[in-house]
Amino acid sequence: MVTRILGFVYGVVCYFVFFGTFLYAIGFVGGGNLYGAGKPLIVPRSIDLTTTRPGESLALRLIIDALLLSLFAVQHSVMARAWFKRRWTQVVTPLLERSTFVLLASLTLLLLFWQWRPIGTARVAWDVQNSTGRLVLESLFWLGWLIVLISTFLINHFDLFGMNQAYHYLKGTECPAPEFRAPGFYKGVRHPIYLGFIIAFWSTPRMSIGHLFFAGMTTAYMILAIQFEERDLVRMHGEKYEDYRKHVSMLTPVRFWKG
């Protein structure tokens, strides 16, 4: 029983590490550009509000940032694959595998926030001065994060982030296999979580070159990650997911608006 309690506590700790990381990510992406150049949002560090190390060239900073993003991409994609889980659960208790994945993903992001280098903060791709335009982009930024959060609850927030599995570990029961469902936003796009991130990352009145680099790299990764994810979903749900994929678009909710 003590082992089960400790396992559940571990799952809870992993969840709150994730949630704190999620909140920090909002400030990291929005700070420095959303409400004016150089103004932090919630947290002191952001894509453009970090300290350049003496002697670091632009090329070196680009390489470091690309490596940090690549580290998260590799961790997030490899650990999510079925073949890795089969081997990993020989080491980690299966019901705590998801919590461990969430913890490592969060720690990788925290490393990125800590070590991120600013890139061309004075150079901008666009800088919207019109008050209405700024308000629209600021609203879209918050809408994107809201879509992400709501989408996790639509499919099972606590299962996605390991809490449900940790609870079953505490109770000593098996966790039911996930069933294929397409509620709410999932009727309009197959990947509303990724769509929400894309909206949030690109919606800023002031798009610095550093922010553009971050948004471009993360968007490219998400489009690539979807290909791997959908292969697993087809293997898991078979014809149900194949039919869903035929009728619902990947990221653009065109069919949703047509009804």
Side-chain angles (χ1 to χ4, degrees):
M1 189 61 187
V2 173
T3 303
R4 291 180 186 175
I5 293 172
L6 289 174
F8 178 71
V9 170
Y10 171 73
V12 172
V13 169
C14 292
Y15 175 80
F16 280 106
V17 170
F18 144 73
F19 202 73
T21 304
F22 177 77
L23 294 177
Y24 198 103
I26 296 173
F28 182 80
V29 175
N33 290 304
L34 190 66
Y35 294 115
K39 293 183 179 179
L41 177 66
I42 306 171
V43 297
R45 297 178 67 84
S46 74
I47 293 171
D48 290 327
L49 297 179
T50 53
T51 305
T52 304
R53 275 63 168 180
E56 286 185 349
S57 65
L58 176 60
L60 179 58
R61 279 178 276 150
L62 280 168
I63 291 170
I64 291 171
D65 290 347
L67 287 174
L68 289 167
L69 288 167
S70 299
L71 179 63
F72 173 77
V74 170
Q75 179 277 326
H76 198 266
S77 292
V78 171
M79 289 192 72
R81 302 285 68 79
W83 62 265
F84 183 89
K85 291 180 181 180
R86 284 193 295 270
R87 292 166 175 79
W88 186 229
T89 49
Q90 294 174 9
V91 179
V92 177
T93 302
L95 285 175
L96 298 179
E97 177 272 330
R98 188 66 186 178
S99 292
T100 304
F101 169 84
V102 168
L103 176 63
L104 292 176
S106 300
L107 293 176
T108 306
L109 276 177
L110 289 172
L111 175 65
L112 184 149
F113 301 154
W114 175 39
Q115 289 297 318
W116 183 265
R117 306 299 203 264
I119 304 167
T121 55
R123 302 184 184 92
V124 295
W126 66 75
D127 189 357
V128 177
Q129 298 298 322
N130 177 271
S131 58
T132 302
R134 292 186 67 86
L135 181 60
V136 169
L137 289 167
E138 289 162 5
S139 300
L140 284 171
F141 172 84
W142 292 108
L143 177 64
W145 291 106
L146 187 60
I147 289 171
V148 171
L149 192 58
I150 292 173
S151 297
T152 66
F153 280 99
L154 287 173
I155 53 174
N156 194 333
H157 175 87
F158 294 108
D159 191 81
L160 188 62
F161 298 106
M163 279 289 289
N164 189 39
Q165 296 89 325
Y167 176 74
H168 280 281
Y169 182 76
L170 174 66
K171 302 293 287 184
T173 56
E174 288 294 321
C175 191
E179 296 181 0
F180 176 71
R181 299 183 304 115
F185 297 148
Y186 290 87
K187 290 183 174 71
V189 292
R190 301 198 301 272
H191 300 278
I193 293 176
Y194 287 135
L195 176 60
F197 278 126
I198 291 170
I199 292 171
F201 292 172
W202 287 93
S203 298
T204 176
R206 184 179 185 275
M207 178 63 82
S208 69
I209 298 302
H211 194 135
L212 182 65
F213 176 77
F214 178 89
M217 288 281 287
T218 51
T219 300
Y221 163 67
M222 285 186 275
I223 292 171
L224 179 63
I226 285 171
Q227 313 311 312
F228 293 109
E229 187 175 315
E230 293 210 323
R231 290 177 192 172
D232 289 345
L233 289 168
V234 169
R235 292 190 191 101
M236 187 181 300
H237 301 293
E239 289 185 9
K240 283 185 178 180
Y241 194 81
E242 287 281 19
D243 185 63
Y244 174 65
R245 190 160 61 169
K246 288 176 184 176
H247 293 89
V248 179
S249 63
M250 184 171 75
L251 289 170
T252 53
V254 176
R255 296 178 188 275
F256 182 79
W257 299 116
K258 287 181 179 179

